Short mmCIF file of all heavy atoms in Angstrom, two decimals:
data_model
loop_
_atom_site.label_atom_id
_atom_site.label_comp_id
_atom_site.label_asym_id
_atom_site.label_seq_id
_atom_site.Cartn_x
_atom_site.Cartn_y
_atom_site.Cartn_z
N VAL C 39 49.83 27.93 43.71
CA VAL C 39 48.71 27.97 44.65
C VAL C 39 48.67 29.35 45.28
O VAL C 39 49.64 29.76 45.93
CB VAL C 39 48.86 26.89 45.73
CG1 VAL C 39 47.78 27.05 46.81
CG2 VAL C 39 48.77 25.50 45.10
N VAL C 40 47.61 30.08 45.03
CA VAL C 40 47.52 31.45 45.54
C VAL C 40 46.25 31.67 46.36
O VAL C 40 46.01 32.75 46.88
CB VAL C 40 47.52 32.46 44.37
CG1 VAL C 40 48.89 32.45 43.67
CG2 VAL C 40 46.41 32.17 43.38
N SER C 41 45.40 30.66 46.44
CA SER C 41 44.10 30.84 47.09
C SER C 41 43.77 29.58 47.89
O SER C 41 43.98 28.46 47.40
CB SER C 41 43.03 31.08 46.01
OG SER C 41 41.75 30.78 46.50
N GLN C 42 43.31 29.75 49.10
CA GLN C 42 42.91 28.62 49.91
C GLN C 42 41.55 28.91 50.52
O GLN C 42 41.23 30.07 50.78
CB GLN C 42 43.93 28.37 51.04
CG GLN C 42 45.22 27.72 50.57
CD GLN C 42 45.03 26.27 50.13
OE1 GLN C 42 43.96 25.70 50.31
NE2 GLN C 42 46.05 25.69 49.52
N PRO C 43 40.75 27.88 50.78
CA PRO C 43 39.48 28.13 51.47
C PRO C 43 39.76 28.69 52.87
O PRO C 43 40.80 28.35 53.47
CB PRO C 43 38.86 26.73 51.60
CG PRO C 43 39.67 25.83 50.74
CD PRO C 43 40.98 26.48 50.49
N VAL C 44 38.85 29.50 53.37
CA VAL C 44 38.97 29.97 54.75
C VAL C 44 38.85 28.74 55.67
O VAL C 44 38.31 27.72 55.27
CB VAL C 44 37.87 30.99 55.11
CG1 VAL C 44 37.95 32.19 54.18
CG2 VAL C 44 36.48 30.36 55.06
N PRO C 45 39.36 28.82 56.88
CA PRO C 45 39.11 27.70 57.82
C PRO C 45 37.60 27.55 58.04
O PRO C 45 36.87 28.54 58.03
CB PRO C 45 39.79 28.17 59.11
CG PRO C 45 40.74 29.25 58.70
CD PRO C 45 40.15 29.90 57.48
N GLN C 46 37.18 26.31 58.22
CA GLN C 46 35.74 26.06 58.33
C GLN C 46 35.12 26.87 59.48
O GLN C 46 33.97 27.30 59.39
CB GLN C 46 35.50 24.55 58.55
CG GLN C 46 34.01 24.18 58.45
CD GLN C 46 33.79 22.67 58.52
OE1 GLN C 46 34.73 21.89 58.46
NE2 GLN C 46 32.53 22.27 58.62
N SER C 47 35.91 27.08 60.52
CA SER C 47 35.39 27.80 61.69
C SER C 47 35.04 29.25 61.35
O SER C 47 34.27 29.90 62.06
CB SER C 47 36.42 27.77 62.82
OG SER C 47 37.63 28.34 62.34
N GLU C 48 35.59 29.75 60.26
CA GLU C 48 35.32 31.15 59.91
C GLU C 48 34.15 31.34 58.96
O GLU C 48 33.81 32.45 58.57
CB GLU C 48 36.57 31.78 59.27
CG GLU C 48 37.68 31.98 60.29
CD GLU C 48 38.93 32.56 59.66
OE1 GLU C 48 38.85 33.15 58.55
OE2 GLU C 48 40.00 32.42 60.30
N VAL C 49 33.53 30.21 58.55
CA VAL C 49 32.39 30.32 57.64
C VAL C 49 31.21 30.96 58.36
O VAL C 49 30.87 30.57 59.48
CB VAL C 49 31.99 28.93 57.10
CG1 VAL C 49 30.75 29.04 56.23
CG2 VAL C 49 33.14 28.30 56.33
N ARG C 50 30.62 31.96 57.72
CA ARG C 50 29.47 32.65 58.31
C ARG C 50 28.18 32.18 57.63
O ARG C 50 28.05 32.29 56.42
CB ARG C 50 29.60 34.17 58.10
CG ARG C 50 30.76 34.81 58.81
CD ARG C 50 30.45 34.98 60.30
NE ARG C 50 29.18 35.66 60.49
CZ ARG C 50 29.06 36.97 60.70
NH1 ARG C 50 30.12 37.74 60.74
NH2 ARG C 50 27.86 37.52 60.86
#
Side-chain angles (χ1 to χ4, degrees):
Chain C
V39 173
V40 293
S41 158
Q42 285 291 352
V44 301
Q46 189 174 351
S47 58
E48 290 178 19
V49 176
R50 295 283 308 264

